[in-house]
Amino acid sequence: MMIEAVRQTKTERGEKPRSPFTRWLRRHLPMGLYARSLLIVIIPMVLLQSIVAFVFMERHWQLVTQRLSAAVTSDIAAIIDLINTMPPASYPDIETIARRQLGLVISLENGGELPMPVRQPYFDILNRILSDEIRQETQLPFWLDTISSEDNVYVRIKLDGARILRVTVRRNSAYASNTHIFIVWMVGASLVLLLIAILFLRGQIRPILHLARAAESFGKGQKIDDFSPRGAEEVRRAGLAFIQMRERIERQMEQRTTMLSGVSHDLRTILTRFKLQLAIAGDHPDLQPLNQDVEDMQSMLEGYLAFVRGEAEEDVGTLKLTDVMTRLSAEAELHGKTLTTVIEGDDDVRVRPNAFTRLILNLASNAYRYADTIHIEARHGQRWLSVTIDDNGPGIPERSREDVFKPFFRLDEARNLDSTGTGLGLSIARDIARSHGGNVILSDSPLGGLRAVARVPA
């Protein structure tokens, strides 16, 4: 049975208006528990990895690159000192020492000029650090190329006497080139942990979804045979509480029906005895009011029993909306009323057929009783089935639209029940709608009378 919530404004509830950021966050965050749980795992992991990667890149990677570049620059400065102090005949020995001991390939040119500077990437850490180290260590004009080759770095330094020293350095000698290994391990470990979290969360969320489906089915009046508490202890406790609640509701409904069946049997016996005694007494005019009272009691008894039963024992099945509309058209023709019908969406609906048909017939009969023109529109969407009944009758005052759903309530205004009514038609209609997980709402009709909207989950 669905409990209707009372709608209030935020001001009436004493809540503060949400900020634009809060509204934007609620609009863009996923609504599902599974997706939100994954975000709780993923966001801290991504933030932690970003901070670690930033610190590593900014401190460790830069520091290692700076030290390697400083070592290479010191070797180049030592070569320059040897060239400036040793005689030209020893240059081949200097090249051999640089190649074997320092891992540098050098050559000396006379009368050369430095090429035009190579445009380096803005975020090239090697170019920036190595340039600073060469400038600080040698204090000589130089040319640097760190992008032409993936394996080597080319340096040209202008010495005294218009001589150009060419130096080829292995990139890994001046640059921490194994940084990607750290990133690969970090990302790979994160993906493994994320996969484990996804599998674990899926196993924890599945019992909650199972409980939600069971509660939704029970709210629609459908039978639940395969539900059993599973998952974490808290979820098991919630599932067990749901089962106990369902059993209490079903037991209460069964006791109510059994009690009313017994009462109806006793009352019918007494009413039959009254009818027999009145029949023996004859057709005296003074007995006509008593006969009418007995008939009214019989009608109210049958209506009350129908209200209490509420068609709860009926199973869910398929109902064609066209069949219901055809029956309504036949009744409208019988009552001499003008009826128009519209069906939007799938013709087949999953409801309790007899109960739902009775719901629509009760609302339509109420319109037939007080109006001449009736319009019925059924819309079958993906989530909801709505049946709207408009009429041009006298309507119901807004202050009494909730009271008319109370059993045996009678209006004193123009739209009062006639002598054949029991005051249970709208009560039974709303009871059936709520047993399906929906509701019946009354409002003003564009035709000038009353609009009744029956809305149940599709």
Side-chain angles (χ1 to χ4, degrees):
M1 193 73 67
M2 186 183 72
I3 301 175
E4 184 178 7
V6 179
R7 295 183 179 178
Q8 295 177 322
T9 62
K10 295 179 181 178
T11 305
E12 293 173 346
R13 294 196 302 263
E15 297 181 5
K16 295 181 180 180
R18 294 190 179 96
S19 63
F21 175 74
T22 303
R23 291 196 298 268
W24 178 88
L25 197 63
R26 287 177 60 88
R27 209 165 37 240
H28 290 82
L29 278 178
M31 300 301 296
L33 177 62
Y34 182 55
R36 290 191 174 189
S37 301
L38 284 180
L39 286 181
I40 293 175
V41 175
I42 293 174
I43 291 178
M45 184 180 297
V46 171
L47 289 177
L48 178 62
Q49 288 189 350
S50 300
I51 294 173
V52 171
F54 174 77
V55 172
F56 177 81
M57 299 300 178
E58 185 68 20
R59 301 292 177 85
H60 177 76
W61 189 23
Q62 182 175 353
L63 180 61
V64 172
T65 300
Q66 186 173 5
R67 290 182 177 178
L68 290 175
S69 298
V72 170
T73 305
S74 298
D75 293 341
I76 295 175
I79 295 297
I80 294 175
D81 290 340
L82 288 176
I83 292 175
N84 291 332
T85 57
M86 300 293 289
S90 62
Y91 289 170
D93 295 333
I94 296 176
E95 293 178 2
T96 302
I97 293 173
R99 184 176 64 255
R100 291 181 178 178
Q101 306 299 326
L102 303 179
L104 303 176
V105 178
I106 65 173
S107 62
L108 191 63
E109 296 181 358
N110 294 318
E113 294 292 336
L114 293 176
M116 294 295 296
V118 177
R119 186 172 182 178
Q120 304 290 344
Y122 182 77
F123 293 102
D124 189 355
I125 185 174
L126 175 60
N127 180 78
R128 176 169 54 85
I129 294 178
L130 189 57
S131 297
D132 293 341
E133 292 294 332
I134 294 176
R135 187 179 296 109
Q136 182 178 357
E137 185 73 23
T138 65
Q139 296 183 356
L140 295 172
F142 67 93
W143 174 87
L144 179 64
D145 180 11
T146 60
I147 63 174
S148 297
S149 174
E150 295 182 358
D151 300 325
N152 300 320
V153 175
Y154 303 104
V155 183
R156 297 185 187 184
I157 301 176
K158 189 174 183 180
L159 306 179
D160 296 336
R163 294 177 300 173
I164 301 296
L165 174 63
R166 290 191 172 200
V167 183
T168 301
V169 185
R170 297 290 297 177
R171 180 179 290 270
N172 56 12
S173 299
Y175 180 69
S177 58
N178 61 345
T179 307
H180 66 280
I181 298 177
F182 169 79
I183 298 177
V184 169
W185 273 101
M186 184 174 63
V187 174
S190 301
L191 292 177
V192 172
L193 294 176
L194 182 60
L195 179 61
I196 295 175
I198 290 175
L199 296 176
F200 179 77
L201 285 176
R202 180 178 296 177
Q204 296 301 312
I205 297 298
R206 190 179 293 115
I208 300 177
L209 297 178
H210 192 46
L211 174 60
R213 285 192 295 267
E216 184 179 4
S217 299
F218 182 66
K220 294 179 181 179
Q222 300 174 0
K223 291 185 177 180
I224 309 170
D225 298 326
D226 59 343
F227 176 75
S228 59
R230 294 181 298 179
E233 181 181 357
E234 292 79 5
V235 180
R236 289 176 178 269
R237 291 173 59 187
L240 183 60
F242 167 74
I243 292 176
Q244 294 173 349
M245 178 196 69
R246 183 190 65 184
E247 292 176 349
R248 285 195 297 268
I249 293 175
E250 292 176 345
R251 187 165 55 249
Q252 181 182 8
M253 293 176 61
E254 183 180 356
Q255 290 174 352
R256 184 184 65 172
T257 304
T258 303
M259 180 188 68
L260 266 297
S261 297
V263 171
S264 68
H265 180 270
D266 295 339
L267 291 179
R268 282 172 179 172
T269 302
I270 296 175
L271 288 176
T272 303
R273 192 180 304 159
F274 282 170
K275 288 182 179 181
L276 180 60
Q277 293 175 357
L278 290 173
I280 295 175
D283 296 332
H284 195 278
D286 294 337
L287 298 179
Q288 290 301 323
L290 186 55
N291 278 313
Q292 184 61 43
D293 289 341
V294 172
E295 294 295 334
D296 290 344
M297 289 178 64
Q298 182 73 27
S299 178
M300 293 178 64
L301 178 61
E302 296 295 336
Y304 186 63
L305 289 175
F307 171 73
V308 173
R309 285 195 304 268
E311 307 292 344
E313 68 278 0
E314 184 182 3
D315 294 333
V316 175
T318 302
L319 175 67
K320 288 187 175 294
L321 292 175
T322 52
D323 295 341
V324 179
M325 295 302 178
T326 301
R327 183 172 176 180
L328 292 174
S329 299
E331 288 199 6
E333 185 177 355
L334 181 64
H335 288 83
K337 309 295 182 179
T338 302
L339 174 66
T340 56
T341 60
V342 176
I343 298 177
E344 294 184 6
D346 193 1
D347 186 29
D348 295 332
V349 294
R350 294 285 296 174
V351 292
R352 295 202 299 273
N354 294 332
F356 189 78
T357 302
R358 186 179 184 187
L359 160 65
I360 304 303
L361 290 178
N362 282 7
L363 297 178
S365 298
N366 189 64
Y368 293 156
R369 186 176 297 126
Y370 304 107
D372 297 324
T373 302
I374 302 96
H375 176 74
I376 301 179
E377 181 175 343
R379 293 185 179 180
H380 187 193
Q382 293 183 351
R383 298 183 58 188
W384 294 96
L385 168 63
S386 299
V387 179
T388 304
I389 301 176
D390 292 308
D391 64 55
N392 65 343
I396 295 178
E398 185 175 357
R399 65 179 181 275
S400 302
R401 288 175 184 167
E402 286 299 319
D403 294 333
V404 295
F405 290 106
K406 298 177 181 178
F408 305 110
F409 180 82
R410 295 174 182 267
L411 284 173
D412 294 331
E413 284 83 359
R415 197 159 182 143
N416 196 4
L417 293 174
D418 58 19
S419 59
T420 61
T422 61
L424 290 171
L426 292 178
S427 300
I428 294 174
R430 173 170 278 188
D431 187 60
I432 294 173
R434 288 183 172 179
S435 68
H436 281 79
N439 200 4
V440 176
I441 300 175
L442 303 180
S443 61
D444 294 327
S445 171
L447 299 181
L450 183 68
R451 163 173 285 186
V453 180
R455 190 166 181 257
V456 299

